[in-house]
């Protein structure tokens, strides 16, 4: 039986090697990433029920493809990539528009403020209109903003997760912020 | 342990799921890289042949036959170059870490690589050997007519045909591919690629027509260096014919 203490002794790469010889070690990786990935999947626009199904698929798929993991990448980038792909695929299959969960509103508000530098916002108005802005945001822009403002990923990690060149990621972030600024103006938040 | 990790681990154990073996991924990656190399080679070889055609054309002599620079044959080769280059770029960008490079940079780098390889293939004589090897292939039917189209233009100072007799002082008689006989003064001509006057040699001439006479400035073998007429006596001509 693998204990939490056993898990803590190993980094991600060591755990990947251990899982290949002893499946029980997979619990360490699942437990290490499950909460972060759940939040990520929800922030991408999944509802809580679908998020659990998506996560099961993510961890099964990761296990099946463990031998395909490129050890020059961070394991976190690799599993975030799988989570991203599964979530987008689930949206496509269900043909449902991503929903916006506002349980963690503050980072989104920070992102809106960051997109409109030098602007003084009416705090109450900002809180009430943030959801409207996010719902209008194109998914490709929301994806990069979630990774940057919530998951604290740098451009290199974002590039590995979304499988896009770093220059493209920087352009997407910049365009996303411009779109947010434009929407904030449309909502008269200033 | 969370319920999801329980479910995942239970499923893995109950259904005896194992990670897919490494060789499957190696096979996939190997196939992808092999495809990439083949597509790049296609572009390089097509470019080498194109380079060979163009370098053997009369374009540099006062812009002769420029209208045929992009004839059907070069266009078909350009199509192959474009196909190989575009598909190789896309293939590379979808390899393991290919996504890290912008497609435009990948395309530019591969184009440069294909151009340099094409030049090297031509320089090393590979393009010429390929040209000969393909000469009997049905896909190559247009090659001869394209060449005749480019070179059988007496009014532009271009002639293509066969040496029918060799006289003294560099003069020889010549029957062009339209069946017209010419008396050629080749005394001041540059004979390319070690070519020597030989009966039966199929050659291309660049020069000036004057009635039934033609003053040659340059004489080239019909199918590039190493072909018919390269040796005295024209032994290889008979083989070519």
């Amino acid at each position: 039986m693998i204990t939490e203490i056993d898990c803590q002794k190993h980094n991600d790469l060591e755990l990947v090697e251990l899982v290949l010889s002893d499946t029980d070690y997979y619990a360490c990786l699942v437990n290490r990433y499950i909460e972060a990935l759940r939040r990520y999947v929800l922030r991408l626009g999944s509802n809580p029920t679908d998020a659990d199904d998506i996560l099961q698929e993510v961890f099964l798929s990761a296990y099946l493809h463990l031998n395909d993991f490129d050890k020059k990448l961070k394991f976190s980038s690799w599993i975030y990539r799988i989570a991203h792909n599964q979530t987008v695929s689930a949206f496509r299959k269900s043909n449902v528009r991503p929903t916006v969960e506002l349980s963690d509103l503050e980072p989104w508000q920070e992102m809106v403020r960051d997109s409109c530098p030098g602007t003084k916002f009416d705090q109450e108005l900002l809180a009430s209109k943030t959801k409207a802005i996010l719902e209008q945001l194109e998914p490709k822009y929301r994806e990069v903003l979630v990774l940057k403002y919530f998951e604290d990923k740098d451009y290199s990690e974002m590039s590995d997760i979304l499988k896009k060149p770093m220059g493209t990621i920087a352009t997407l972030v910049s365009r996303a912020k411009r779109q947010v600024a434009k929407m904030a103006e449309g909502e008269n938040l200033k | 342990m969370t319920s999801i990790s329980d479910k995942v681990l239970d499923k893995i154990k109950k259904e005896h799921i194992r990670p897919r073996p490494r060789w499957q991924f190696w096979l996939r990656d190997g196939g992808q890289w092999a495809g990439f190399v083949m597509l790049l080679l296609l572009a390089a070889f097509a470019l080498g042949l194109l380079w060979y055609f163009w370098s053997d054309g009369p374009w540099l002599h006062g812009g002769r036959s420029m209208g045929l620079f992009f004839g059907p044959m070069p266009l078909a080769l350009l199509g192959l170059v474009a196909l190989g280059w575009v598909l190789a770029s896309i293939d590379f960008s979808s390899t393991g870490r290919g996504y890290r490079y912008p497609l435009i940079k990948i395309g530019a780098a591969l184009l440069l690589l294909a151009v340099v390889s094409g030049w090297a293939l031509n320089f090393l004589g590979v393009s010429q050997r390929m040209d000969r090897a393909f000469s009997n292939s049905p896909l190559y039917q247009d090659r001869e007519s394209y060449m005749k189209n480019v070179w059988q233009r007496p009014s532009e100072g271009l002639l293509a045909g066969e040496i029918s007799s060799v006289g003294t002082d560099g003069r020889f008689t010549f029957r062009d591919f339209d069946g017209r006989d010419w008396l050629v003064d080749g005394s001041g001509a540059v004979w390319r690629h070690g070519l020597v006057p030989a009966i039966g040699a199929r050659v291309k001439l660049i020069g000036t027509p004057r009635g039934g006479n033609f003053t040659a400035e340059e004489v080239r073998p019909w199918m590039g260096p190493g072909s018919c007429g390269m040796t005295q006596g024209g032994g290889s001509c008979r083989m070519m014919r």
Side-chain angles (χ1 to χ4, degrees):
Chain A
M1 180 74 184
I2 311 290
T3 65
E4 187 57 36
I5 294 165
D6 293 326
C7 294
Q8 284 170 3
K9 281 184 205 162
H10 303 285
N11 64 30
D12 290 349
L13 285 183
E14 290 165 347
L15 284 173
V16 169
E17 288 302 322
L18 287 168
V19 173
L20 290 171
S21 49
D22 182 353
T23 308
D24 286 341
Y25 275 101
Y26 196 49
C28 299
L29 284 170
V30 174
N31 290 330
R32 193 170 284 181
Y33 282 98
I34 196 156
E35 285 312 317
L37 288 181
R38 187 199 301 277
R39 285 194 297 270
Y40 176 56
V41 168
L42 289 172
R43 283 165 183 155
L44 285 178
S46 176
N47 65 53
T49 319
D50 290 344
D52 282 354
D53 294 338
I54 290 169
L55 284 172
Q56 280 189 58
E57 289 302 317
V58 168
F59 285 112
L60 273 174
S61 177
Y63 181 75
L64 273 172
H65 293 87
L66 219 48
N67 277 317
D68 194 28
F69 167 57
D70 178 354
K71 293 179 179 64
K72 286 177 187 149
L73 288 184
K74 283 184 174 179
F75 181 80
S76 66
S77 298
W78 185 69
I79 198 134
Y80 264 80
R81 181 193 294 173
I82 296 173
H84 173 264
N85 292 344
Q86 290 284 357
T87 309
V88 170
S89 168
F91 288 154
R92 273 203 205 111
K93 268 186 214 158
S94 59
N95 208 13
V96 172
R97 197 179 158 80
T99 53
V100 176
E101 285 295 313
L102 289 181
S103 54
D104 42 9
L105 191 61
E106 184 47 38
W108 282 117
Q109 291 179 353
E110 183 202 322
M111 182 270 296
V112 176
R113 280 189 224 106
D114 198 26
S115 302
C116 313
T119 306
K120 277 190 110 181
F121 286 98
D122 177 325
Q123 283 308 310
E124 272 183 40
L125 210 54
L126 176 61
S128 64
K129 297 280 189 176
T130 299
K131 190 172 190 291
I133 290 174
L134 296 179
E135 279 178 339
Q136 290 172 61
L137 204 58
E138 285 180 53
K140 65 178 176 184
Y141 293 143
R142 182 159 40 204
E143 282 166 14
V144 289
L145 293 176
V146 164
L147 288 170
K148 182 171 162 59
Y149 286 93
F150 288 86
E151 311 298 333
D152 278 332
K153 302 291 182 192
D154 60 30
Y155 282 2
S156 168
E157 289 172 289
M158 287 164 78
S159 158
D160 289 335
I161 293 166
L162 299 175
K163 288 189 90 176
K164 289 187 167 107
M166 277 206 274
T168 306
I169 297 290
T171 306
L172 280 172
V173 170
S174 162
R175 283 187 190 157
K177 285 163 83 171
R178 270 210 301 275
Q179 201 181 62
V180 168
K182 206 171 162 186
M183 286 173 182
E185 204 168 313
E187 296 286 343
N188 292 319
L189 293 183
K190 298 174 188 177
Chain B
M1 201 185 278
T2 64
S3 62
I4 287 179
S5 63
D6 278 342
K7 280 183 193 168
V8 170
L9 289 167
D10 279 353
K11 187 172 169 107
I12 287 171
K13 284 180 180 168
K14 271 185 197 159
E15 297 180 20
H16 305 289
I17 297 171
R18 294 292 306 150
R20 284 194 193 149
R22 207 160 269 161
W23 66 263
Q24 283 187 8
F25 300 110
W26 285 344
L27 201 66
R28 178 201 65 192
D29 295 345
Q32 199 163 21
W33 279 107
F36 166 73
V37 170
M38 283 168 70
L39 288 164
L40 193 61
L41 283 177
L42 172 74
F45 278 107
L47 256 173
L49 268 179
L50 203 55
W51 202 295
Y52 174 65
F53 284 168
W54 280 341
S55 64
D56 195 39
W59 340 105
L60 299 177
H61 291 265
R64 289 172 165 110
S65 292
M66 274 312 277
L68 287 164
F69 193 74
F70 288 106
M73 193 73 195
L75 274 181
L77 284 170
L78 267 179
L80 282 180
V81 171
L83 184 76
W85 168 56
V86 168
L87 293 181
S89 303
I90 293 169
D91 194 31
F92 182 86
S93 72
S94 63
T95 56
R97 268 172 273 158
Y99 64 84
R100 289 187 175 181
Y101 309 96
L103 194 56
I104 196 157
K105 278 191 185 170
I106 295 172
L110 292 185
L111 186 62
L112 186 69
L113 191 62
V115 168
V116 171
S117 310
W119 174 83
L121 288 169
N122 183 41
F123 182 77
L124 296 171
V126 177
S127 304
Q128 180 203 332
R129 280 197 286 277
M130 279 173 59
D131 184 51
R132 292 247 201 96
F134 290 150
S135 60
N136 292 327
S137 110
L139 294 171
Y140 233 54
Q141 278 172 356
D142 287 341
R143 161 80 160 120
E144 185 97 349
S145 60
Y146 168 69
M147 288 276 289
K148 284 178 183 166
N149 225 353
V150 171
W151 285 93
Q152 186 53 35
R153 293 171 174 262
S155 60
E156 291 180 39
L158 300 171
L159 271 186
E162 199 172 290
I163 296 175
S164 32
S165 70
V166 179
T168 53
D169 302 332
R171 288 170 193 277
F172 57 90
T173 55
F174 184 83
R175 175 163 288 179
D176 70 23
F177 287 135
D178 289 339
R180 186 175 169 189
D181 290 317
W182 297 79
L183 180 61
V184 180
D185 177 5
S187 55
V190 178
W191 292 70
R192 294 281 179 201
H193 307 297
L195 194 67
V196 290
I199 297 169
R202 298 174 90 195
V203 294
K204 303 174 288 207
L205 306 177
I206 299 171
T208 317
R210 282 194 191 89
N213 296 344
F214 192 90
T215 306
E217 294 158 21
E218 194 175 324
V219 185
R220 297 182 189 180
W222 171 239
M223 280 297 186
S227 67
C228 167
M230 296 292 293
T231 53
Q232 192 80 43
S236 58
C237 297
R238 290 182 193 105
M239 285 173 69
M240 291 290 289
R241 289 157 76 198

